[in-house]
Amino acid sequence: MKKLSWFVLILFLLTGASGCSTNHRKTQEKTQRMLSYINNKYTEDHFEYAGITGGHLGSNTTKIIVRSEKLPEKRICVIASETDDGEVFSDTYLHAKFAQQTEAYLRDALTGLYGQDIYLDFIPDDTAGMQSGSSRTTFEEYLADPDTYIYFSAAVPGKAEDEEKELARIKDAFQNAVVIGHIFYMDTDEPIQDTAKAQIEAKAYEKRLYIVKESVSEYAKAEWTAGQ
């Protein structure tokens, strides 16, 4: 009986070790395919594996972090998704590459409408971006691509009493980009940059405009709500 127990235990350990070895090999192979994808897509840069984030290498969606030679301080992800058509890859490289220019674009658009005293919160998207992107993609092409979503939150001075007119101004200011954003209108004499976070949290704004664009020419949503 003891011999049988030892035999079962040894068999279990050997089988488990074999399974771990197979899983490790599959993990390495998948990681290599993801690295090959991004290195072949953006040939003017070079990428190395830096870690895994979100999902895991046995799930339908896997996301890894890669380190860029040209943008070493940026967080860049490669995503592998299992679909009916096979393995599909995507990445966030252009979000990282154009982050500074995108923030400048947003700030220029808003200050052009409301002056210098605004609050802007912009965080580059951490989901898949422009599928057709390459090392040759320009900033203008990136802004206008349907797969590019630029998320932002801003606080600006005013009451937006004429909502139709105000929305037309916003649409004109962002006509070249696919954006998703919250714009909070503040009726205050205090510097908005200093008070925006607290005012937004307390809902102490006149109105909020929530806009969602599907393309450079089409809005999916333009929703107004009043503060408290």
Side-chain angles (χ1 to χ4, degrees):
M1 189 68 180
K2 287 184 179 181
K3 288 183 178 180
L4 179 61
S5 298
W6 276 108
F7 175 77
V8 171
L9 177 60
I10 292 170
L11 182 63
F12 173 78
L13 292 173
L14 289 174
T15 303
S18 176
C20 289
S21 177
T22 300
N23 289 336
H24 180 66
R25 177 171 49 79
K26 288 182 177 179
T27 295
Q28 287 183 318
E29 290 173 352
K30 188 166 192 176
T31 300
Q32 190 56 52
R33 290 196 301 273
M34 296 170 81
L35 285 173
S36 295
Y37 151 80
I38 195 168
N39 276 299
N40 290 332
K41 186 175 182 181
Y42 306 105
T43 54
E44 293 181 6
D45 204 339
H46 178 72
F47 305 88
E48 295 182 353
Y49 177 78
I52 188 167
T53 177
H56 55 82
L57 287 165
S59 68
N60 290 334
T61 300
T62 302
K63 183 186 289 188
I64 64 171
I65 302 172
V66 296
R67 184 176 295 106
S68 159
E69 189 175 88
K70 289 193 172 183
L71 304 169
E73 77 286 357
K74 298 290 188 179
R75 175 187 167 91
I76 298 167
C77 298
V78 178
I79 303 99
S81 303
E82 300 292 341
T83 70
D84 293 338
D85 297 324
E87 200 170 46
V88 176
F89 298 107
S90 56
D91 62 89
T92 66
Y93 180 68
L94 293 180
H95 292 322
K97 179 180 179 179
F98 292 127
Q100 194 170 8
Q101 286 174 267
T102 302
E103 185 168 8
Y105 170 86
L106 293 171
R107 189 171 297 280
D108 287 347
L110 292 167
T111 55
L113 292 173
Y114 305 105
Q116 296 299 314
D117 185 25
I118 66 162
Y119 166 81
L120 174 62
D121 183 19
F122 163 67
I123 300 175
D125 193 3
D126 199 29
T127 59
M130 188 175 177
Q131 296 296 307
S132 59
S134 71
S135 297
R136 295 180 297 278
T137 299
T138 66
F139 178 58
E140 290 72 24
E141 291 170 338
Y142 165 78
L143 280 181
D145 191 89
D147 289 329
T148 298
Y149 291 99
I150 299 169
Y151 299 90
F152 74 94
S153 179
V156 301
K159 297 182 180 181
E161 293 175 324
D162 189 333
E163 293 179 359
E164 186 175 341
K165 182 178 179 180
E166 187 63 25
L167 181 57
R169 282 173 12 108
I170 291 294
K171 287 184 175 181
D172 186 60
F174 292 114
Q175 62 180 312
N176 298 322
V178 181
V179 296
I180 299 176
H182 299 266
I183 301 175
F184 299 90
Y185 292 83
M186 306 290 189
D187 182 24
T188 177
D189 294 328
E190 299 180 27
I192 290 176
Q193 297 181 39
D194 299 337
T195 61
K197 285 186 178 181
Q199 297 281 73
I200 291 171
E201 188 173 329
K203 296 186 178 180
Y205 46 83
E206 290 293 317
K207 290 181 179 179
R208 180 203 68 160
L209 172 61
Y210 176 50
I211 54 174
V212 179
K213 291 187 73 174
E214 291 184 345
S215 66
V216 290
S217 59
E218 186 175 356
Y219 278 77
K221 180 180 290 187
E223 176 183 270
W224 291 95
T225 57
Q228 294 180 347

